[in-house]
Amino acid sequence: MRIDIVTIFPTFFDALDLSLLGKAKQSGLIELDVHDLRDSTHDRHRTVDDTPYGGGAGMVMKPEPWGEALDGILGDDTEEEPLVIFPSPAGEVFTQAMARELAAEPHLVFGCGRYEGIDHRVFDHTASRARVRLVSLGDYVLNGGEVAVMAMIEAIGRLVPGVVGNPESLVEESHEDGLLEYPSYTKPAEWRGLPVPPVLLSGNHGAIATWRRQQQIERTREVRPDLLPADEPDA
Ligand code: ADE
Protein backbone atom coordinates (compact mmCIF):
# COMPACT_ATOMS: atom_id res chain seq x y z
CA MET A 1 0.00 0.00 0.00
CA ARG A 2 1.17 3.50 -0.79
CA ILE A 3 0.28 6.34 1.60
CA ASP A 4 0.93 10.04 1.02
CA ILE A 5 0.28 12.66 3.69
CA VAL A 6 0.15 16.41 3.09
CA THR A 7 0.61 18.50 6.23
CA ILE A 8 2.23 21.65 7.58
CA PHE A 9 3.67 19.52 10.42
CA PRO A 10 5.61 16.71 8.73
CA THR A 11 7.50 15.73 11.92
CA PHE A 12 4.17 14.83 13.50
CA PHE A 13 4.37 11.61 11.53
CA ASP A 14 7.85 10.60 12.71
CA ALA A 15 6.07 8.32 15.18
CA LEU A 16 5.02 6.11 12.27
CA ASP A 17 8.62 4.87 12.21
CA LEU A 18 7.95 3.09 15.51
CA SER A 19 6.54 -0.34 16.24
CA LEU A 20 4.59 -2.47 13.75
CA LEU A 21 3.99 0.29 11.22
CA GLY A 22 7.68 1.21 11.29
CA LYS A 23 8.53 -2.40 10.46
CA ALA A 24 5.92 -2.43 7.70
CA LYS A 25 7.57 0.67 6.23
CA GLN A 26 11.01 -0.86 6.43
CA SER A 27 9.90 -4.08 4.79
CA GLY A 28 8.11 -2.18 2.00
CA LEU A 29 4.61 -3.45 2.89
CA ILE A 30 3.65 0.19 3.40
CA GLU A 31 5.31 2.94 1.39
CA LEU A 32 4.80 6.23 3.21
CA ASP A 33 5.63 9.73 1.99
CA VAL A 34 5.03 12.83 4.08
CA HIS A 35 4.84 16.11 2.13
CA ASP A 36 5.25 19.56 3.68
CA LEU A 37 2.46 21.75 2.31
CA ARG A 38 4.73 24.79 2.67
CA ASP A 39 7.03 23.31 -0.01
CA SER A 40 4.20 24.15 -2.42
CA THR A 41 4.18 27.85 -1.53
CA HIS A 42 6.15 30.51 -3.41
CA ASP A 43 6.21 33.54 -1.13
CA ARG A 44 8.89 34.52 1.35
CA HIS A 45 6.72 33.59 4.34
CA ARG A 46 5.58 30.27 2.88
CA THR A 47 1.98 31.33 3.52
CA VAL A 48 -0.69 28.61 3.61
CA ASP A 49 -3.67 30.51 5.05
CA ASP A 50 -5.70 33.68 4.58
CA THR A 51 -8.80 35.40 5.97
CA PRO A 52 -12.20 33.91 5.09
CA TYR A 53 -14.41 35.44 2.39
CA GLY A 54 -17.62 36.59 4.02
CA GLY A 55 -15.86 37.32 7.29
CA GLY A 56 -15.73 35.30 10.46
CA ALA A 57 -13.18 34.11 12.96
CA GLY A 58 -9.99 32.27 12.11
CA MET A 59 -8.11 31.60 8.90
CA VAL A 60 -8.77 29.35 5.92
CA MET A 61 -6.13 27.33 4.08
CA LYS A 62 -5.42 28.77 0.64
CA PRO A 63 -6.22 26.60 -2.39
CA GLU A 64 -3.02 27.17 -4.41
CA PRO A 65 -0.54 25.26 -2.21
CA TRP A 66 -3.04 22.41 -1.89
CA GLY A 67 -3.55 22.28 -5.65
CA GLU A 68 0.17 22.14 -6.30
CA ALA A 69 0.89 19.56 -3.59
CA LEU A 70 -1.91 17.29 -4.82
CA ASP A 71 -0.86 17.75 -8.47
CA GLY A 72 2.54 16.34 -7.51
CA ILE A 73 1.04 13.32 -5.76
CA LEU A 74 -1.93 12.51 -7.99
CA GLY A 75 -0.21 13.41 -11.24
CA ASP A 76 2.03 10.38 -11.27
CA ASP A 77 -0.61 7.82 -10.30
CA THR A 78 -3.21 7.15 -12.95
CA GLU A 79 -3.24 3.36 -12.60
CA GLU A 80 -3.83 2.89 -8.90
CA GLU A 81 -6.91 5.14 -8.57
CA PRO A 82 -5.85 6.93 -5.41
CA LEU A 83 -8.40 7.69 -2.71
CA VAL A 84 -7.97 11.13 -1.15
CA ILE A 85 -9.09 11.49 2.46
CA PHE A 86 -9.51 14.85 4.15
CA PRO A 87 -9.94 14.50 7.92
CA SER A 88 -12.74 16.80 9.00
CA PRO A 89 -15.22 16.98 11.87
CA ALA A 90 -17.78 17.49 9.09
CA GLY A 91 -17.01 14.10 7.53
CA GLU A 92 -18.45 10.58 7.84
CA VAL A 93 -17.38 8.93 11.10
CA PHE A 94 -14.37 6.59 10.95
CA THR A 95 -15.15 3.02 12.05
CA GLN A 96 -13.46 -0.38 12.08
CA ALA A 97 -15.54 -1.29 9.01
CA MET A 98 -14.16 1.75 7.19
CA ALA A 99 -10.62 0.85 8.30
CA ARG A 100 -11.11 -2.59 6.76
CA GLU A 101 -12.42 -1.09 3.54
CA LEU A 102 -9.53 1.40 3.30
CA ALA A 103 -6.93 -1.31 4.04
CA ALA A 104 -7.80 -2.81 0.64
CA GLU A 105 -6.94 0.42 -1.23
CA PRO A 106 -3.62 0.49 -3.12
CA HIS A 107 -3.03 4.22 -2.65
CA LEU A 108 -4.35 6.54 0.09
CA VAL A 109 -3.66 10.26 0.17
CA PHE A 110 -4.37 12.17 3.41
CA GLY A 111 -4.70 15.96 3.36
CA CYS A 112 -4.41 17.45 6.84
CA GLY A 113 -6.27 20.72 7.24
CA ARG A 114 -5.61 23.24 9.99
CA TYR A 115 -7.21 26.47 11.17
CA GLU A 116 -10.85 26.81 10.08
CA GLY A 117 -10.33 24.31 7.29
CA ILE A 118 -9.34 24.23 3.63
CA ASP A 119 -10.86 26.39 0.86
CA HIS A 120 -13.78 24.24 -0.31
CA ARG A 121 -12.75 24.41 -3.96
CA VAL A 122 -9.83 22.09 -3.11
CA PHE A 123 -12.33 19.29 -2.32
CA ASP A 124 -14.35 19.99 -5.47
CA HIS A 125 -11.30 20.14 -7.72
CA THR A 126 -9.73 17.02 -6.21
CA ALA A 127 -13.05 15.18 -6.66
CA SER A 128 -12.85 15.92 -10.39
CA ARG A 129 -9.76 13.72 -10.73
CA ALA A 130 -9.82 11.26 -7.79
CA ARG A 131 -12.19 9.72 -5.29
CA VAL A 132 -12.51 11.98 -2.25
CA ARG A 133 -13.85 11.26 1.24
CA LEU A 134 -14.16 13.59 4.22
CA VAL A 135 -13.68 11.50 7.36
CA SER A 136 -14.17 12.44 11.01
CA LEU A 137 -12.48 10.71 13.91
CA GLY A 138 -15.49 11.42 16.12
CA ASP A 139 -17.89 14.06 17.34
CA TYR A 140 -15.35 16.47 18.79
CA VAL A 141 -13.05 19.11 17.34
CA LEU A 142 -9.29 18.72 17.05
CA ASN A 143 -6.89 21.55 16.18
CA GLY A 144 -6.11 19.92 12.85
CA GLY A 145 -6.24 16.70 10.90
CA GLU A 146 -2.86 15.29 11.94
CA VAL A 147 -3.98 13.39 15.05
CA ALA A 148 -6.98 12.03 13.17
CA VAL A 149 -4.75 10.83 10.31
CA MET A 150 -2.32 9.18 12.73
CA ALA A 151 -5.21 7.26 14.28
CA MET A 152 -6.64 6.29 10.89
CA ILE A 153 -3.27 5.12 9.53
CA GLU A 154 -2.67 3.01 12.63
CA ALA A 155 -6.11 1.40 12.37
CA ILE A 156 -5.82 0.86 8.59
CA GLY A 157 -2.14 -0.13 8.51
CA ARG A 158 -2.51 -3.00 10.96
CA LEU A 159 -5.17 -4.52 8.68
CA VAL A 160 -2.86 -4.57 5.65
CA PRO A 161 -1.95 -8.25 5.14
CA GLY A 162 1.44 -9.05 6.67
CA VAL A 163 1.66 -6.03 8.99
CA VAL A 164 0.42 -7.88 12.09
CA GLY A 165 2.34 -11.16 12.39
CA ASN A 166 -0.52 -13.27 13.75
CA PRO A 167 -3.70 -12.44 11.79
CA GLU A 168 -5.78 -14.30 14.41
CA SER A 169 -5.04 -11.52 16.85
CA LEU A 170 -6.93 -9.14 14.54
CA VAL A 171 -10.13 -11.15 14.73
CA GLU A 172 -10.59 -11.26 18.50
CA GLU A 173 -10.63 -7.55 19.06
CA SER A 174 -13.14 -4.91 19.98
CA HIS A 175 -15.35 -3.95 17.02
CA GLU A 176 -14.18 -6.75 14.72
CA ASP A 177 -17.28 -8.81 15.52
CA GLY A 178 -19.41 -5.80 16.42
CA LEU A 179 -18.90 -6.27 20.18
CA LEU A 180 -16.33 -4.97 22.65
CA GLU A 181 -13.39 -7.23 23.43
CA TYR A 182 -13.41 -9.67 26.40
CA PRO A 183 -10.98 -8.92 29.28
CA SER A 184 -7.51 -10.53 29.11
CA TYR A 185 -5.25 -11.88 31.87
CA THR A 186 -1.70 -13.24 32.11
CA LYS A 187 0.53 -14.70 34.84
CA PRO A 188 0.58 -14.68 37.84
CA ALA A 189 -2.73 -16.48 38.57
CA GLU A 190 -3.19 -14.23 41.60
CA TRP A 191 -1.95 -10.65 41.86
CA ARG A 192 -2.47 -8.34 44.85
CA GLY A 193 -5.23 -10.61 46.09
CA LEU A 194 -7.01 -10.59 42.73
CA PRO A 195 -7.39 -14.02 41.10
CA VAL A 196 -7.67 -14.70 37.38
CA PRO A 197 -11.22 -15.97 36.60
CA PRO A 198 -10.94 -19.75 37.30
CA VAL A 199 -12.50 -20.77 33.97
CA LEU A 200 -9.40 -19.43 32.17
CA LEU A 201 -7.21 -21.91 34.11
CA SER A 202 -9.57 -24.84 33.46
CA GLY A 203 -8.16 -25.90 30.10
CA ASN A 204 -11.78 -26.32 28.93
CA HIS A 205 -11.75 -24.48 25.60
CA GLY A 206 -15.51 -24.65 25.11
CA ALA A 207 -16.16 -23.15 28.56
CA ILE A 208 -13.53 -20.47 27.94
CA ALA A 209 -15.11 -19.50 24.62
CA THR A 210 -18.57 -19.31 26.23
CA TRP A 211 -17.25 -17.20 29.12
CA ARG A 212 -15.47 -14.83 26.76
CA ARG A 213 -18.57 -14.38 24.63
CA GLN A 214 -20.64 -13.64 27.76
CA GLN A 215 -18.06 -11.09 28.87
CA GLN A 216 -18.21 -9.40 25.46
CA ILE A 217 -21.99 -9.13 25.58
CA GLU A 218 -22.04 -7.91 29.21
CA ARG A 219 -19.37 -5.31 28.57
CA THR A 220 -21.02 -4.09 25.41
CA ARG A 221 -24.43 -3.88 27.10
CA GLU A 222 -22.93 -1.85 29.95
CA VAL A 223 -20.66 0.53 28.01
CA ARG A 224 -21.93 0.59 24.41
CA PRO A 225 -25.53 -0.68 24.26
CA ASP A 226 -25.84 1.08 20.89
CA LEU A 227 -23.59 -1.61 19.38
CA LEU A 228 -25.76 -4.57 20.44
CA PRO A 229 -27.87 -6.10 17.69
CA ALA A 230 -31.56 -6.35 18.64
CA ASP A 231 -31.48 -10.16 18.47
CA GLU A 232 -28.37 -10.66 20.67
CA PRO A 233 -29.18 -13.43 23.20
CA ASP A 234 -28.90 -12.54 26.90
CA ALA A 235 -25.56 -13.24 28.53
N1 ADE B 1 -10.10 17.91 12.35
C1 ADE B 1 -10.60 18.58 13.40
N2 ADE B 1 -11.41 17.82 14.11
C2 ADE B 1 -11.45 16.61 13.50
C3 ADE B 1 -12.14 15.40 13.75
N3 ADE B 1 -12.97 15.24 14.78
N4 ADE B 1 -11.94 14.37 12.90
C4 ADE B 1 -11.14 14.52 11.84
N5 ADE B 1 -10.45 15.64 11.56
C5 ADE B 1 -10.62 16.68 12.38
Side-chain angles (χ1 to χ4, degrees):
M1 170 186 278
R2 175 176 163 195
I3 297 177
D4 288 280
I5 303 170
V6 184
T7 172
I8 56 168
F9 295 119
T11 54
F12 220 102
F13 296 94
D14 287 354
L16 291 175
D17 285 333
L18 305 172
S19 188
L20 283 178
L21 289 183
K23 278 196 202 134
K25 269 179 71 182
Q26 269 181 351
S27 70
L29 277 173
I30 294 178
E31 188 192 329
L32 184 98
D33 276 312
V34 183
H35 309 262
D36 187 341
L37 181 68
R38 292 192 198 276
D39 290 346
S40 298
T41 59
H42 300 283
D43 62 313
R44 209 156 50 90
H45 301 290
R46 300 177 24 110
T47 310
V48 292
D49 61 332
D50 207 335
T51 52
Y53 275 124
M59 301 289 270
V60 175
M61 291 189 111
K62 294 161 66 61
E64 302 96 321
W66 277 103
E68 189 174 312
L70 291 169
D71 284 347
I73 295 166
L74 300 176
D76 55 61
D77 188 352
T78 45
E79 274 172 30
E80 284 181 343
E81 291 184 44
L83 173 63
V84 184
I85 295 172
F86 292 103
S88 163
E92 45 182 328
V93 175
F94 187 69
T95 60
Q96 185 68 16
M98 195 191 294
R100 226 176 292 126
E101 194 187 321
L102 298 181
E105 291 282 341
H107 185 188
L108 296 175
V109 181
F110 291 95
C112 302
R114 281 261 147 187
Y115 315 115
E116 292 307 304
I118 303 172
D119 185 304
H120 199 79
R121 289 168 293 183
V122 173
F123 306 129
D124 294 338
H125 188 267
T126 309
S128 71
R129 56 183 172 161
R131 290 168 300 147
V132 170
R133 283 172 89 162
L134 265 61
V135 181
S136 170
L137 203 58
D139 293 339
Y140 40 80
V141 178
L142 305 166
N143 284 332
E146 283 78 5
V147 165
V149 168
M150 281 291 276
M152 289 184 221
I153 289 179
E154 178 136 336
I156 295 164
R158 59 198 298 285
L159 298 177
V160 170
V163 171
V164 170
N166 178 4
E168 266 182 40
S169 65
L170 295 176
V171 178
E172 297 189 1
E173 279 171 347
S174 294
H175 304 295
E176 270 303 332
D177 61 2
L179 298 173
L180 301 184
E181 199 174 16
Y182 54 77
S184 298
Y185 301 85
T186 186
K187 294 174 216 47
E190 186 173 318
W191 176 74
R192 298 194 176 182
L194 299 170
V196 167
V199 65
L200 297 178
L201 311 178
S202 69
N204 181 339
H205 296 297
I208 292 171
T210 304
W211 180 85
R212 285 179 167 165
R213 182 79 187 167
Q214 282 171 345
Q215 290 290 313
Q216 283 193 282
I217 296 169
E218 270 173 35
R219 250 189 181 185
T220 308
R221 178 172 299 128
E222 219 168 275
V223 185
R224 292 292 306 277
D226 55 303
L227 295 178
L228 276 180
D231 59 353
E232 187 61 56
D234 283 350

